[in-house]
Amino acid sequence: MTTPEPTLGPADLGTLETIACELAREAGRLVVDERPAGLGVSATKSSRTDIVTIMDTRSEQLLRERLAERRPDDGVLGEEGDSTAGTSGITWVVDPIDGTVNYLYDIPQYAVSVAACVGDTTRPGAWRAVAGAVYHPVLDEMFHAREGAGAFLRTTTGVHALSVSSVSRLDEALLGTGFGYDAQKRARQGAVVARVLPEVRDIRRAGSAALDLCAVAAARLDVYYESGLNPWDLAAGELIVREAGGEVVGRGGGPASADLVVAGPAVLVAPIRALVD
Ligand code: IPD
């Protein structure tokens, strides 16, 4: 049974956003500062290339410990551990390293994603993030938002309000996407991307869905789509795109889910959906 949605005022949302930022920053610093010299793969998941490193595990442990201390009544759903139910109606959806393959190869494009969500996080479309943060620890960039208050990027130079791209033509749009770990799915994703490529300015596959969504919010990408995302890849980034004025939809224009995520200004989401949905 789902706990009823809690009533959250601006102060509650502000507290959740602050906690998301603090935890994402602490875990992000851990994965950069304590990255072992000979980092290897400690386990695999859905396929031989869907990997876990020791630092994914340590980062998630840290996030879970901090949440247990600061938010003992909330639930937690993380990429590397079991889901724990809470009693408050809030579930933290966390990705301890989004872009794990980049992290393994020491490509500096990975992030920690932390989101406070309401609803049933086990059912696609039945939940939403109300506050969240995505932290890029190598660049020290913190993307964050809370529902109804806009999206922001905090860097070493200050805080910048985010707004999605104003590009309206698909043939001028820089598009981000990503691919799953399963070979058969990748073959289907390859066929879809071949349809999209001639229609857009160019394509980027940067390797972290959470950062791709933040790039859409910051107009560093005009539009993004991917299939196969998990709630932890999506939760904070989806909120950040919406709060930056963008649209995030899934199959048939319904809620974003593992089937499909398309994110960007509405004027670009529609034609991308027509190509990929
Ligand atoms: C992956 C990344 C990647 C996306 C995959 C995700 P992980 O997450 O976000 O960009 O294309 O679909 O699974 O495994 O690095 O946490």
Side-chain angles (χ1 to χ4, degrees):
M1 204 179 70
T2 314
T3 315
E5 187 173 319
T7 307
L8 297 168
D12 303 308
L13 292 173
T15 302
L16 296 173
E17 186 183 18
T18 302
I19 293 173
C21 290
E22 288 174 0
L23 268 52
R25 184 180 296 279
E26 190 181 354
R29 292 267 53 94
L30 174 88
V31 301
V32 167
D33 296 346
E34 299 198 20
R35 185 180 193 279
L39 179 72
V41 173
S42 59
T44 58
K45 296 184 285 187
S46 61
S47 78
R48 281 170 53 77
T49 50
D50 184 3
I51 55 156
V52 185
T53 71
I54 180 69
M55 295 309 288
D56 292 84
T57 311
R58 285 188 59 195
S59 172
E60 183 152 329
Q61 252 164 18
L62 175 79
L63 293 169
R64 285 177 182 270
E65 275 167 28
R66 293 290 180 267
L67 287 167
E69 288 156 16
R70 297 180 68 169
R71 304 286 307 181
D73 299 332
D74 298 352
V76 183
L77 172 65
E79 179 168 17
E80 317 301 349
D82 295 334
S83 131
T84 51
T87 53
S88 64
I90 294 170
T91 302
W92 293 86
V93 178
V94 302
D95 194 336
I97 303 178
D98 185 59
T100 303
V101 173
N102 284 345
Y103 184 68
L104 179 70
Y105 282 77
D106 208 7
I107 297 169
Q109 178 71 358
Y110 51 86
V112 178
S113 175
V114 178
C117 301
V118 296
D120 181 355
T121 51
T122 63
R123 284 195 299 126
W127 59 276
R128 69 182 197 285
V130 292
V134 175
Y135 182 55
H136 187 317
V138 177
L139 296 181
D140 192 10
E141 289 191 331
M142 178 71 74
F143 298 88
H144 60 97
R146 63 178 184 272
E147 206 168 57
F152 298 90
L153 166 59
R154 179 181 292 272
T155 68
T156 47
T157 61
V159 180
H160 314 272
L162 298 179
S163 183
V164 294
S165 161
S166 56
V167 166
S168 59
R169 290 177 54 127
L170 199 54
D171 59 2
E172 291 177 2
L174 185 62
L175 173 134
T177 191
F179 309 107
Y181 293 109
D182 173 79
Q184 281 180 353
K185 276 190 202 149
R186 292 168 76 81
R188 287 198 296 275
Q189 289 171 327
V192 172
V193 91
R195 275 206 305 273
V196 174
L197 190 51
E199 308 294 332
V200 295
R201 179 193 294 272
D202 204 353
I203 286 188
R204 296 289 179 269
R205 195 294 191 243
S208 161
L211 287 175
D212 289 340
L213 287 162
C214 292
V216 168
R220 293 173 178 175
L221 286 174
D222 297 308
V223 65
Y224 164 82
Y225 81 91
E226 186 163 348
S227 60
L229 292 189
N230 292 296
W232 42 83
D233 302 314
L234 178 65
E238 174 174 5
L239 174 68
I240 291 165
V241 173
R242 283 191 200 290
E243 290 297 325
E247 197 175 72
V248 185
V249 297
R251 181 136 295 160
S257 72
D259 285 342
L260 181 66
V261 177
V262 186
V267 68
L268 293 178
V269 166
I272 288 298
R273 260 198 59 218
L275 283 168
V276 306
D277 195 346

